[in-house]
């Protein structure tokens, strides 16, 4: 899986939306690489917010990162209100043409996405865009999917 081209597509969506408060995440090695985009958000004076687990909730914060409970780098700053976000990037194992997202199964993102009004974009490899995925009532759809070669917008 190559992440080549992903950075340009992520920047394009952020610019189109005029996003100044961007919730992203630090990708795992098995995921498309968000590190260059995250650095761009900070370098251009925007606010980069990263996810942290608090109790059973996913919150987004800025600040120095340190290893958190799930072995994931988590930010140390105060959590921001979910309505303060201009754009949220969501990890996904797969996305379908209707905006259904296959996550890791713990439901942290689904619960948070249900409360978030801003545009939600899944970040995937090209091969993770599928025609259709099974979905359940608690599954939250995304507004688009960004991969190294494409930006897909869904009408929800």
């Amino acid at each position: 899986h190559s992440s080549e081209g992903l950075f340009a597509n992520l920047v394009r969506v952020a610019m189109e939306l005029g996003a100044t408060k961007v919730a992203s995440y630090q990708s795992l090695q098995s995921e498309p690489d968000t590190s260059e985009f995250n650095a761009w958000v900070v370098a251009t004076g925007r606010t980069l917010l990263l996810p942290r687990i608090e109790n059973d909730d996913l919150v987004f914060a800025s600040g120095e990162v340190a290893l958190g409970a799930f072995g994931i780098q988590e930010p140390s700053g105060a959590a921001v209100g979910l309505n303060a976000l201009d754009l949220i990037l969501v990890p996904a194992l797969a996305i379908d043409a209707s905006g259904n997202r296959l996550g890791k199964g713990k439901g942290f993102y689904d619960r948070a996405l249900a409360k978030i009004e801003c545009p939600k974009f899944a970040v995937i490899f090209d091969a993770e865009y599928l025609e259709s995925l099974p979905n359940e009532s608690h599954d939250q759809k995304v507004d688009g999917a960004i991969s190294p070669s494409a930006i897909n917008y869904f009408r929800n």
Side-chain angles (χ1 to χ4, degrees):
H1 289 311
S2 167
S3 293
E4 192 172 340
L6 181 65
F7 171 67
N9 285 341
L10 290 170
V11 167
R12 199 162 102 211
V13 168
M15 297 290 282
E16 280 175 9
L17 294 171
T20 57
K21 288 194 175 93
V22 179
S24 182
Y25 61 96
Q26 292 187 307
S27 46
L28 304 173
Q29 287 205 299
S30 60
E31 298 173 328
D33 187 1
T34 56
S35 60
E36 189 180 2
F37 174 75
N38 292 351
W40 174 85
V41 170
V42 173
T44 54
R46 293 166 170 83
T47 303
L48 176 67
L49 300 152
L50 296 171
R52 178 173 70 220
I53 306 289
E54 282 183 4
N55 303 318
D56 272 338
D57 293 324
L58 191 65
V59 300
F60 294 90
S62 56
E64 293 297 311
V65 293
L67 209 54
F70 289 89
I72 296 168
Q73 296 285 328
E74 295 186 332
S76 58
V80 302
L82 295 177
N83 292 329
L85 305 176
D86 297 320
L87 166 64
I88 178 168
L89 300 180
V90 184
L93 298 174
I95 289 291
D96 75 10
S98 301
N100 293 308
R101 170 184 161 270
L102 182 63
K104 296 233 167 68
K106 292 196 173 77
F108 288 115
Y109 268 94
D110 283 321
R111 290 193 296 277
L113 292 175
K115 305 173 199 160
I116 293 175
E117 306 279 323
C118 75
K120 311 162 182 81
F121 282 82
V123 181
I124 56 170
F125 286 115
D126 295 319
E128 295 169 336
Y129 183 77
L130 308 173
E131 196 52 45
S132 126
L133 282 169
N135 65 315
E136 297 175 40
S137 58
H138 62 264
D139 292 338
Q140 296 293 313
K141 291 188 178 199
V142 292
D143 301 306
I146 305 170
S147 70
S149 73
I151 300 170
N152 292 287
Y153 296 91
F154 308 123
R155 286 198 179 83
N156 290 333

